[in-house]
Amino acid sequence: MLKLHTNHLTDLEKKIHRILSEAVSENDKLKIIESAEMCDASPSKISKLVRKLGFESFKQYKLYFSGQQEEVKIKEKSSEIDRLINFLKNYDTKIVDEFVSVFDRFNKIIIFGLGPSYICGEYFSYKLSTVTDKNVFVTQHEDYAIRLADKETLLIVLSVTGTFSSFENLFNEMKKRDAEAMLILEEHTNTKDSVADYVFFLTQFTQSDELLAFEKTRTVFFIFIEEIIAKLKNNIDEQIDGKYHEP
């Protein structure tokens, strides 16, 4: 018999789970909307909770707690550590070289991101300030980015999937100001209709589709950022050495 662990649940989630598991044990026909009302929560909250417990759906949750455990197979989720190991094993250093070749051509850099990606952008901006004299800005507001843009500007948009929000309006506004735009995505997605000048995909190993955009980790972004900083620093050191050894 499967044993569910609830130690990773918040106090509120534990309370909802307790109410819900008792309710479905008595009524396996209970609808998710009815369950949400019973628990004073939204249907999406219920859906997230059952996924957090390892069930693929509310229906599967009901089967389990209505005494039909033999019909339920808890899906074993892939480890984030395993995903990162696969990413590192297949890491292609050329992507950093390609990024730097574009980055070097601009004097003004605007880093744009939403939610956790914005926090990545702030970290990226801080690290860039240690290795470059370029003007670097970071924002999550399109209007601000547009006001800053000119022909010397490279806009860098960070996004895990590129599907949480559309950046095409921002890219078009950049073009109107003769700036160029780069889209850096962690996961592969269809970008054939994007007007971005450069698109980078960091890995073919994706996170769970059950996770919402803000729930996904940004670990691969941080690894990519550190590799960029190391490359830029190395380039500076090589320039200094070259000048030092000039006859």
Side-chain angles (χ1 to χ4, degrees):
M1 179 176 176
L2 294 171
K3 183 178 180 181
L4 295 181
H5 297 281
T6 60
N7 294 337
H8 62 305
L9 300 181
T10 65
D11 289 340
L12 177 58
E13 288 171 335
K14 288 178 181 178
K15 179 182 177 181
I16 293 174
H17 171 52
R18 185 172 61 253
I19 295 171
L20 209 53
S21 59
E22 291 177 359
V24 299
S25 67
E26 299 175 358
N27 179 14
D28 62 1
K29 305 298 183 183
L30 199 65
K31 304 295 184 183
I32 192 169
I33 295 177
E34 297 171 337
S35 300
E37 292 175 351
M38 180 185 303
C39 299
D40 194 24
S42 66
S44 63
K45 180 70 175 178
I46 302 298
S47 180
K48 289 177 186 177
L49 171 61
V50 300
R51 292 202 305 266
K52 196 170 181 178
L53 284 167
F55 297 96
E56 294 183 6
S57 64
F58 182 61
K59 179 181 178 181
Q60 196 180 65
Y61 178 92
K62 288 192 298 181
L63 284 172
Y64 185 85
F65 285 99
S66 62
Q68 304 173 65
Q69 289 93 337
E70 67 279 0
E71 297 184 28
V72 180
K73 292 182 180 179
I74 301 297
K75 182 179 179 181
E76 184 177 350
K77 296 182 179 179
S78 60
S79 165
E80 176 67 358
I81 294 297
D82 290 337
R83 187 182 77 91
L84 293 174
I85 289 173
N86 286 328
F87 162 70
L88 293 172
K89 284 180 178 179
N90 293 272
Y91 181 68
D92 185 357
T93 58
K94 290 180 181 178
I95 191 172
V96 172
D97 296 335
E98 292 171 0
F99 173 90
V100 171
S101 69
V102 175
F103 176 85
D104 284 341
R105 294 173 28 226
F106 297 87
N107 294 319
K108 183 188 294 183
I109 307 296
I110 303 173
I111 305 172
F112 185 93
L114 299 173
S117 294
Y118 169 69
I119 298 173
C120 291
E122 287 189 310
Y123 180 77
F124 196 8
S125 174
Y126 170 78
K127 295 291 283 189
L128 285 173
S129 69
T130 67
V131 295
T132 180
D133 294 328
K134 296 178 186 290
N135 294 315
V136 181
F137 305 87
V138 58
T139 184
Q140 54 188 332
H141 301 291
E142 290 191 9
D143 290 345
Y144 180 70
I146 292 167
R147 288 200 303 271
L148 289 173
D150 56 31
K151 64 181 181 180
E152 296 186 340
T153 300
L154 173 66
L155 172 75
I156 301 174
V157 173
L158 303 177
S159 179
V160 172
T161 64
T163 58
F164 179 72
S165 178
S166 173
F167 305 107
E168 295 308 303
N169 176 67
L170 180 56
F171 294 154
N172 282 316
E173 291 297 326
M174 290 291 119
K175 289 185 177 296
K176 291 178 183 178
R177 289 157 178 77
D178 296 323
E180 295 189 18
M182 175 188 292
L183 178 60
I184 301 180
L185 298 167
E186 177 177 321
E187 301 180 2
H188 278 266
T189 190
N190 188 350
T191 59
K192 67 181 182 65
D193 296 323
S194 177
V195 297
D197 299 284
Y198 314 94
V199 179
F200 288 93
F201 297 105
L202 300 186
T203 180
Q204 67 193 66
F205 302 100
T206 62
Q207 299 181 52
S208 171
D209 291 335
E210 296 178 358
L211 296 173
L212 300 176
F214 69 89
E215 294 176 320
K216 296 194 175 189
T217 72
R218 266 64 177 175
T219 310
V220 169
F221 272 146
F222 284 111
I223 294 173
F224 184 58
I225 289 169
E226 297 296 353
E227 288 296 294
I228 289 170
I229 299 303
K231 176 68 176 178
L232 291 172
K233 188 176 185 304
N234 183 65
N235 288 352
I236 293 172
D237 291 342
E238 288 181 351
Q239 291 174 5
I240 293 174
D241 289 343
K243 291 181 179 179
Y244 180 80
H245 292 293
E246 284 181 358

